[in-house]
Amino acid sequence: MLHVGYLPLRQDRAVLRAMEHKDAAAYAVGADDPLVREFAHLPEPEYTEASVSRLIDGVIREGLTRGDLAVLTVADPGTDEFIGSLVLFNVDTEAAEVGFWVRPDHRGRGAAHASLSLASTLIQRSGLTRLTARTVPENLGAQRVLERAGFTRGARARSMAPSGEEVLLLHYSREIRPSAPLP
């Protein structure tokens, strides 16, 4: 189970926090980016500010409450502006899967790497010991970010993406050392 009470988490290149209504419009615009559409395999075919607000009030809030789904905002540490999204899903007693994307105007600044580091901190503090990820072979940027963040590439296999589409995916894993529980 994810313990989202540890949020927000902060580094010099990104903040990882719960998604808020002020993020809805920027999420919808970012989710419409051609590279996000191609590689993120988002569950909905399109997003609007209203549809994202409904998700925040429904599925996102419910997942955070249960501790088995965390659709989070990657925010600029100086402005708290939405710059991307990181989701933790397929949570079990030992592991969670991570997916992430960054808006085009914020790519190449280290936000994706920082958000994965922050997600690893949340996983560790939640008592989980492994973080997994999947990406299509064509997504070289995600592969570089994952490998730089300490993930090890595993098998190639056809499997179901969050969009419901069956695709060939590269599987990644990162072991997380257990830590002493924080007060």
Side-chain angles (χ1 to χ4, degrees):
M1 182 167 98
L2 299 170
H3 296 287
V4 296
Y6 291 116
L7 296 171
L9 295 168
R10 174 177 294 276
Q11 278 194 1
D12 62 337
R13 296 188 186 265
V15 173
L16 192 61
R17 62 169 172 77
M19 190 174 287
E20 302 172 8
H21 285 280
K22 69 180 182 177
D23 303 322
Y27 183 99
V29 169
D32 197 39
D33 172 67
L35 290 176
V36 173
R37 300 291 324 143
E38 181 178 359
F39 293 132
H41 296 281
L42 299 174
E44 300 294 328
E46 72 176 31
Y47 294 87
T48 64
E49 182 176 358
S51 72
V52 175
S53 288
R54 284 191 299 276
L55 288 170
I56 290 167
D57 290 337
V59 172
I60 293 172
R61 180 173 291 140
E62 293 162 5
L64 289 171
T65 300
R66 287 189 313 266
D68 64 359
L69 173 67
V71 180
L72 303 172
T73 289
V74 178
D76 180 278
T79 65
D80 199 43
E81 169 192 10
F82 178 96
I83 61 172
S85 179
L86 183 138
V87 60
L88 295 165
F89 61 107
N90 287 341
V91 178
D92 62 29
T93 58
E94 296 177 4
E97 185 170 347
V98 64
F100 59 94
W101 57 267
V102 175
R103 287 183 13 198
D105 54 335
H106 290 276
R107 291 182 188 141
R109 300 179 188 175
H113 181 268
S115 67
L116 285 172
S117 176
L118 294 169
S120 295
T121 299
L122 179 60
I123 292 299
Q124 182 183 47
R125 291 180 181 176
S126 296
L128 305 179
T129 58
R130 188 172 57 262
L131 192 54
T132 64
R134 299 177 288 164
T135 191
V136 293
E138 299 81 15
N139 193 347
L140 300 177
Q143 292 173 51
R144 281 191 298 272
V145 170
L146 288 165
E147 290 167 8
R148 186 170 164 242
F151 284 76
T152 303
R153 186 186 309 190
R156 279 180 178 236
R158 291 196 73 75
S159 56
M160 197 70 64
S163 62
E165 183 181 3
E166 186 175 310
V167 293
L168 178 63
L169 294 167
L170 300 174
H171 293 253
Y172 283 83
S173 180
R174 178 174 178 208
E175 299 303 314
I176 308 291
R177 289 183 310 179
S179 68
L182 296 175

